[in-house]
């Protein structure tokens, strides 16, 4: 009898401990679910055309931010639901409540911080200037007065304007490179990481990449949230920090970029 009493006490203690854990999880999920567009789903806005961040391979959506989004959602106890959207409509779509979060190589800026909240940064994006091999341009100072391609509203466009280049709007990396090849622009500003990923599968004959990190500090890349959704942001950050700690984010970086770009 004494043995069974002890066993029952142990089971009761474990049950209470488990119940306590489940309660706290349900409480957190409840607060997050109350802010979600769809209960049980993390609706993620992204372009789906920007390799290696998010793109389609054999018709299937894949990429660094796709895999990261799935991993974060799973840690949050949610299912990731991706909504591919053109860049020009992504942030506006977040403000309009079409997404719970935007994951699209978003740079932290003071302007965006006024209206939205950021997650903990998950990568550091180094700026690159891509020009024809025959070009005499060697740094950002020399783009002044020249046509330079960058996506409207991106941090790349901000860099072009800062150095007095004439912005030519185009957010598609491949077509931006084509414009440079064809002489329709003197160059394009984008991320060094995007260039590395592109060179793995595409020819870059006639082009060269100039790392301009010494002129422009690497950008902190984060997920973007509505200010009215603090529970989603908090849960996302907790999940992301776990994935950073266990090495998942670093592994995904190495998979899609060929290097650790998390620092």
């Amino acid at each position: 009898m004494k043995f069974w009493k002890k066993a029952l006490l142990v089971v009761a203690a474990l049950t209470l401990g488990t119940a306590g854990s489940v309660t706290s999880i349900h409480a957190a999920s409840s607060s997050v679910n109350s802010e979600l567009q769809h209960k049980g789903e993390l609706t993620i806005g992204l372009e789906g055309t920007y390799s290696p961040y998010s793109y389609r391979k054999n018709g299937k959506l894949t990429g660094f931010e796709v895999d990261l989004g799935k991993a974060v959602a799973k840690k949050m106890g949610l299912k990731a639901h991706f909504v591919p959207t053109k860049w020009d409509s992504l942030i506006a779509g977040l403000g309009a409540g079409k997404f719970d979060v935007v994951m699209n190589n978003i740079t932290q800026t003071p302007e965006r911080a006024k209206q939205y909240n950021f997650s903990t940064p998950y990568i550091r994006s180094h700026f690159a200037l891509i020009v024809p091999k025959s070009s005499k341009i060697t740094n950002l100072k020399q783009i002044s007065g020249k046509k330079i391609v960058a996506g409207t509203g991106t941090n790349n466009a901000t860099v072009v304007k800062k150095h007095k280049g004439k912005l030519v709007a185009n957010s598609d990396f491949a077509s931006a490179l084509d414009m440079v090849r064809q002489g329709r622009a003197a160059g394009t500003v984008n991320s060094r990481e995007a260039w590395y990923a592109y060179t793995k599968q595409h020819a870059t004959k006639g082009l060269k990449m100039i790392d301009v990190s010494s002129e422009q500090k690497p950008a902190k890349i984060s997920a973007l949230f509505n200010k009215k959704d603090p529970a989603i942001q908090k849960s996302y950050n907790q999940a992301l920090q776990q994935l950073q700690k266990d090495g998942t984010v670093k592994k995904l970086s190495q998979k899609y970029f060929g290097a650790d770009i998390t620092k």
Side-chain angles (χ1 to χ4, degrees):
M1 287 295 290
K2 287 183 178 179
F3 170 79
W4 288 111
K5 284 182 179 178
K6 288 181 179 179
L8 287 170
L9 286 171
V10 170
V11 171
L14 289 172
T15 302
L16 286 170
T18 304
S21 298
V22 170
T23 300
S24 65
I25 290 171
H26 283 315
S29 296
S30 176
S31 62
V32 170
N33 271 306
S34 68
E35 295 178 355
L36 294 171
Q37 299 301 310
H38 304 286
K39 187 176 180 180
E41 287 187 347
L42 183 66
T43 304
I44 303 171
L46 41 63
E47 282 182 283
T49 58
Y50 187 30
S51 177
Y53 299 94
S54 65
Y55 60 101
R56 292 193 181 276
K57 185 175 182 180
N58 299 322
K60 185 179 180 181
L61 194 63
T62 188
F64 172 76
E65 286 172 317
V66 174
D67 283 4
L68 181 59
K70 289 178 180 178
V72 170
K74 186 175 181 179
K75 284 283 186 183
M76 293 172 70
L78 302 170
K79 182 181 178 180
H81 172 61
F82 298 99
V83 182
T85 305
K86 289 184 178 180
W87 166 254
D88 294 350
S89 303
L90 265 178
I91 296 180
L94 178 66
K98 292 183 178 180
F99 325 114
D100 298 312
V101 58
V102 169
M103 294 178 66
N104 199 78
N105 193 30
I106 298 289
T107 303
Q108 290 189 11
T109 65
E111 292 74 24
R112 288 174 183 157
K114 292 176 183 178
Q115 293 182 285
Y116 303 95
N117 288 333
F118 294 106
S119 72
T120 300
Y122 46 79
I123 58 175
R124 300 295 192 278
S125 181
H126 296 251
F127 289 98
L129 175 60
I130 302 162
V131 298
K133 277 191 175 179
S134 59
S135 175
K136 294 182 179 179
I137 295 175
T138 59
N139 56 58
L140 288 173
K141 292 178 181 179
Q142 295 174 333
I143 70 172
S144 178
K146 296 180 175 63
K147 291 182 179 180
I148 305 295
V149 188
T152 303
T154 65
N155 210 45
N156 299 323
T158 301
V159 171
V160 173
K161 292 176 182 178
K162 177 182 175 181
H163 292 86
K164 300 179 181 179
K166 293 181 179 179
L167 179 65
V168 178
N170 191 332
S171 59
D172 183 77
F173 188 59
S175 60
L177 294 182
D178 285 340
M179 291 179 71
V180 177
R181 286 192 187 96
Q182 295 162 5
R184 294 159 60 194
T188 180
V189 172
N190 213 296
S191 71
R192 181 189 63 179
E193 295 72 39
W195 168 261
Y196 285 152
Y198 183 86
T199 59
K200 288 182 180 180
Q201 299 181 7
H202 302 85
T204 57
K205 185 178 180 181
L207 299 173
K208 63 181 178 181
M209 186 274 289
I210 303 168
D211 188 335
V212 293
S213 298
S214 60
E215 298 178 83
Q216 193 71 38
K217 290 182 179 179
K220 294 179 181 179
I221 305 302
S222 305
L224 198 65
F225 307 87
N226 276 311
K227 286 187 178 291
K228 64 181 180 61
D229 296 332
I232 296 176
Q233 180 199 21
K234 182 178 179 181
S235 180
Y236 182 104
N237 274 337
Q238 290 173 340
L240 176 60
Q241 286 162 9
Q242 290 176 39
L243 294 169
Q244 289 172 323
K245 188 175 181 180
D246 69 17
T248 298
V249 182
K250 181 179 178 179
K251 288 177 182 177
L252 290 177
S253 169
Q254 292 171 327
K255 175 183 177 180
Y256 286 101
F257 299 97
D260 179 11
I261 62 166
T262 61
K263 298 178 181 179

